[in-house]
Amino acid sequence: MIAAATIMTQLFLSAAALTGLFVLQTVLTRRDRDDPINRRFLFGVRVTMVLFAGRALMILTGIEAFRILTLLGAAIIPLAVLILTEGLLRRHAPPLVKAVIGGGAVVFAVSSLWYSGSIDPARLFALLGFQLLGFVMSGWLIISRDKASLSVTENAMVVRLGLSLILFIPLAAGDFLLLSIGLPIQFSALGVLILCWLAIGLGRPHLGHRATLVNLGVMVGAACGVGAMIAAFAQLGRDGYLLSIAAIMTMLFVVAILNDARALRLEEQSVGLLRQLAMARTDDPMTFLRDLQDHPLVEGAVVVSEESLQGLQDDVLDRIFAAAPVLRRSDPPVLGPVADDHIAYLFARYSATHVMLAVPRPRVLVALAMPSLGASPSAELELQVVQRMAVLMAKQKGSSDAG
């Protein structure tokens, strides 16, 4: 039972790692495949995909020759990490470090062609030492970097790479010492999934390091707790505990990777007003407002001319829109009973949730209905920007006409 579960879990972890790497590759190529950092990152991603593809194919087919892919990927990964580290730090590694990592990669890549285990465990221990040396050297470059020479984003990328190395080193060591320490499966796939999740999260800078670490801790803790509970209920031994925890943790990180990648894609494809504002090709405020009326955020908006406001006091309207250029029904300004009556009339007359001043003179308002569930903070901010832009256009047009 445990033997079959071990094989299935190992295959599941390899497939999950390939999924995470494929999603990360898609994100990188969609952003800019020709960016120097992305090219280096893609090299490392594809090398790692070769390793896990070899593992999966060995399990599925039983063909030992696929071990070449696993050994080849393991040999080149330290070089890929060093190349990425150099790109992120915008500096070359010392020549001795390059010689050691480059030479070791060549030697172990050639040795991968000897896929049988007749030269193991000596080769595996040597490859483990080479990988650990490569990770430590890249980690030393990260720790000793000149933070002031890098931007905030670059420092964030470097920190996340360093965190991934810290998590990956013991997991990679466990792969090579599988039989020596009695582990049921190779756990390095979890380190790869964490790296993919951290890398994709760089595209969402509003999630800071603290929130990222908290989310990481929550997912790891939840997987350990639920896995241990299931193993206890089923009265499994130590291997059962490890398999349950690994399977649950893997699924959590795959879901997190897919969810973050989807959220990033939606943000990139956002139909927000800011994109349309940036593409505006007119200086006329009324043309600008008419062009915006088909946008989903303000669809059905009503442009209210000065003639439609007859019966309302101009000085009261001036006070209202001086206090709140974008009126919100949920949070109107408190300006006295007369102003309150004017505000209530505007919202009731046009069945609006927002009324904004578009042109000061002659006064033009825009009334729109945005359900509270659809009124995100970003949407509110976009309305403020639309209002300011329309007013500035109107002032510029008025100055041009006067000239």
Side-chain angles (χ1 to χ4, degrees), residues 15 30 57 117 148 153 166 178 200 214 220 249 265 274 312 333 336:
R30 188 173 67 238
L57 289 170
T153 301
I166 292 172
L178 185 72
I200 292 173
V214 169
V220 171
M249 193 179 300
R265 181 65 170 167
L274 296 181
L312 299 179

Side-chain angles (χ1 to χ4, degrees), residues 18 35 50 208 243 260 320 352:
L18 285 170
D35 177 78
V50 168
L243 294 177
D260 282 8
I320 291 172

Side-chain angles (χ1 to χ4, degrees), residues 101-354:
I101 301 303
V106 172
V107 169
F108 286 107
V110 172
S111 76
S112 68
L113 299 176
W114 191 283
Y115 60 84
S116 73
S118 59
I119 59 174
D120 296 326
R123 175 178 56 181
L124 292 180
F125 283 126
L127 183 54
L128 169 61
F130 171 62
Q131 281 203 341
L132 294 181
L133 179 63
F135 295 154
V136 168
M137 285 181 170
S138 295
W140 171 72
L141 290 175
I142 291 173
I143 293 172
S144 60
R145 74 187 186 279
D146 180 10
K147 296 181 182 179
S149 66
L150 302 177
S151 67
V152 174
T153 301
E154 289 172 327
N155 273 306
M157 292 177 69
V158 170
V159 168
R160 295 201 180 192
L161 175 61
L163 177 60
S164 299
L165 289 177
I166 292 172
L167 296 171
F168 194 74
I169 286 174
L171 295 172
D175 283 2
F176 290 97
L177 301 175
L178 185 72
L179 298 177
S180 302
I181 58 180
L183 292 177
I185 56 172
Q186 295 169 306
F187 287 93
S188 57
L190 291 174
V192 169
L193 288 172
I194 292 173
L195 169 63
C196 294
W197 177 65
L198 291 173
I200 292 173
L202 286 168
R204 310 182 70 196
H206 57 280
L207 298 176
H209 286 314
R210 185 184 298 275
T212 300
L213 290 175
V214 169
N215 290 340
L216 176 61
V218 168
M219 285 193 286
V220 171
C224 290
V226 175
M229 183 175 64
I230 292 174
F233 289 161
Q235 297 182 344
L236 302 176
R238 189 202 67 156
D239 287 357
Y241 275 83
L242 293 176
L243 294 177
S244 298
I245 291 171
I248 293 171
M249 193 179 300
T250 298
M251 183 53 69
L252 283 178
F253 277 106
V254 168
V255 171
I257 288 169
L258 293 174
N259 183 65
D260 282 8
R262 179 177 177 275
L264 188 60
R265 181 65 170 167
L266 291 176
E267 290 172 8
E268 291 171 354
Q269 295 179 332
S270 172
V271 292
L273 281 173
L274 296 181
R275 182 188 297 273
Q276 198 154 338
L277 293 178
M279 298 173 65
R281 294 292 183 269
T282 179
D283 292 329
D284 181 71
M286 296 308 298
T287 303
F288 169 69
L289 292 173
R290 281 195 297 271
D291 290 343
L292 287 180
Q293 279 185 293
D294 292 332
H295 191 281
L297 185 63
V298 294
E299 186 177 5
V302 177
V303 177
V304 182
S305 65
E306 190 168 44
E307 290 77 13
S308 301
L309 299 174
Q310 290 180 358
L312 299 179
Q313 300 177 33
D314 285 340
D315 60 325
V316 176
L317 291 175
D318 288 339
R319 284 196 298 122
I320 291 172
F321 289 104
V326 178
L327 278 175
R328 294 188 301 160
R329 187 171 60 190
S330 61
D331 185 26
V334 180
L335 301 172
V338 177
D340 290 346
D341 289 342
H342 281 58
I343 293 171
Y345 170 80
L346 290 173
F347 287 132
R349 173 68 177 80
Y350 299 103
S351 301
T353 59
H354 295 73

